[in-house]
Amino acid sequence: MKKQESLINHFIRSIIGAWQLVKLNPRAMDYFDKSAEGFWKSFWAIPLVAPLFFLWVKVSYVKAVELGYRGPIEANVLTFIVGLPLFALVMVLFTRFLKIDTHYSSMVIAYNWLSVVIYFITLPLDLLMRIGPMPINIAVLLTVAVIFYLRIYVTWFMFKQSLQVSSALAIGVLVFEFLFQLSVMAVFLRLFQ
């Protein structure tokens, strides 16, 4: 009988796998538990990132108010809470349509855990840009470079590895993911206007 892995060990191994994706390791998918249980556990990404996310929301909102802007904070919060499950749901249909659903579960697992690493890199960077001593032009340049690398290049690599598709098809999935995320945010922004 196989000994059950603790939840903490599962989180650590999954985050190491996501970090391997950031490092563009072609063996990164080996770190993830690709079972049905691993699929559902990957949604722990949301509560794991929540404390940092809500700190970011609080600081962002305070800074926005100081600058005289009152943006719909509810849209950001709702996007954070339902973003991963909604993306997983839409990707069932999208991957079936493209006939690349064989590795759908692996892709969702990798996507969810990669989001943890992306949040833990980009949110502190954004907070430093908003409240830190770094000159704004350097902070913006650094933030854009990091976001481009993580949200475009690494996410493309993750789609390619997890779905086991060609580079060109992974670009198509990345474009779909980007447009889907923009659409979700646009809908939520509209709801709270």
Side-chain angles (χ1 to χ4, degrees):
M1 186 168 144
K2 185 179 174 186
K3 187 179 174 190
Q4 180 125 10
E5 177 181 46
S6 76
L7 197 57
I8 299 295
N9 287 341
H10 178 83
F11 292 165
I12 291 168
R13 190 165 50 87
S14 300
I15 291 169
I16 290 170
W19 183 249
Q20 293 301 313
L21 286 169
V22 171
K23 292 169 50 178
L24 306 177
N25 180 349
R27 307 277 312 171
M29 293 304 297
D30 295 344
Y31 288 85
F32 298 108
D33 173 4
K34 292 177 262 204
S35 68
E37 186 179 355
F39 175 87
W40 294 111
K41 282 182 180 177
S42 73
F43 290 96
W44 272 96
I46 300 165
L48 284 175
V49 174
L52 178 62
F53 176 79
F54 287 110
L55 172 65
W56 174 81
V57 165
K58 181 177 167 102
V59 170
S60 298
Y61 184 72
V62 168
K63 277 299 201 186
V65 169
E66 284 175 9
L67 297 172
Y69 173 73
R70 293 193 180 270
I73 200 148
E74 300 88 354
N76 281 321
V77 172
L78 196 53
T79 300
F80 172 76
I81 292 169
V82 302
L84 293 181
L86 192 57
F87 179 71
L89 186 63
V90 167
M91 286 305 285
V92 168
L93 303 172
F94 184 72
T95 56
R96 282 185 187 160
F97 175 76
L98 292 178
K99 297 181 179 20
I100 57 171
D101 59 331
T102 306
H103 302 287
Y104 158 80
S105 179
S106 297
M107 182 274 303
V108 170
I109 292 165
Y111 185 86
N112 289 352
W113 289 115
L114 181 59
S115 74
V116 171
V117 172
I118 290 173
Y119 273 120
F120 272 97
I121 293 172
T122 58
L123 292 183
L125 192 60
D126 188 67
L127 285 172
L128 281 174
M129 183 175 73
R130 292 172 191 272
I131 61 174
M134 192 182 302
I136 192 72
N137 54 348
I138 293 172
V140 168
L141 185 62
L142 180 62
T143 303
V144 168
V146 168
I147 289 173
F148 177 84
Y149 178 73
L150 293 173
R151 289 290 301 131
I152 296 177
Y153 194 66
V154 173
T155 304
W156 163 82
F157 178 77
M158 180 276 302
F159 284 136
K160 183 177 183 296
Q161 295 298 314
S162 63
L163 289 169
Q164 297 181 18
V165 295
S166 69
S167 296
L169 189 50
I171 290 171
V173 176
L174 178 68
V175 169
F176 176 80
E177 183 262 350
F178 178 74
L179 293 174
F180 173 75
Q181 299 297 352
L182 277 179
S183 300
V184 168
M185 183 53 110
V187 167
F188 290 155
L189 284 170
R190 193 93 167 134
L191 280 175
F192 294 107
Q193 275 188 338

